[in-house]
Amino acid sequence: QVQLVESGGGLVQAGGSLRLSCAASGRIFDINSMGWYRQAPGKQRELVAVISSAGNTNYTDSVKGRFTIARDNAKKMVYLQMNSLKPEDTAVYYCSARIRERIYRPPNDYWGQGTQVTVSS
């Protein structure tokens, strides 16, 4: 019964900032990687940023230098700080996490419901 819930989306002007948050709850033994994906209308879902359990990060090229992913293991949360937003960043943003529900069992991937980010020009 793992759940991921995103928050923080909204409407912002080009050049502005938003911070997305995602909280994991439920039957969790541990969390491996956590990440953010986005999907714009008519386009494929793409990886935006990912962070490992050790704190190592990777970003898609289009957001490097503008977005920062972070996690709080104690709170079971992941964040995406988005600065210098562009209209092309407009999309539904989804939180994801690879979670082991029980020890010695393989992890499963979970997804949040998504939060809309709209950047106006």
Side-chain angles (χ1 to χ4, degrees), residues 100-119:
R100 283 200 296 168
E101 297 179 55
R102 296 178 63 183
I103 192 170
Y104 303 134
R105 299 294 178 88
N108 293 314
D109 293 334
Y110 294 89
W111 295 85
Q113 292 297 111
T115 185
Q116 177 70 47
V117 172
T118 302
V119 184

Side-chain angles (χ1 to χ4, degrees), residues 36-79:
W36 292 92
Y37 289 72
R38 67 186 181 188
Q39 187 168 26
K43 295 185 178 181
Q44 298 290 108
R45 185 175 298 186
E46 66 170 343
L47 175 68
V48 177
V50 63
I51 183 167
S52 73
S53 60
N56 300 312
T57 60
N58 283 292
Y59 301 88
T60 191
D61 287 342
S62 63
V63 309
K64 287 181 179 177
R66 300 188 297 121
F67 291 10
T68 303
I69 188 170
R71 65 189 286 170
D72 185 327
N73 292 329
K75 295 181 178 179
K76 297 183 177 65
M77 296 189 70
V78 63
Y79 309 91

Side-chain angles (χ1 to χ4, degrees), residues 10-12 14 38-41 43 46 66-67 82 85-93 115-121:
L11 175 65
V12 66
R38 67 186 181 188
Q39 187 168 26
K43 295 185 178 181
E46 66 170 343
R66 300 188 297 121
F67 291 10
M82 304 185 293
L85 283 161
K86 305 174 181 180
E88 66 193 59
D89 296 318
T90 295
V92 177
Y93 283 70
T115 185
Q116 177 70 47
V117 172
T118 302
V119 184
S120 62
S121 59

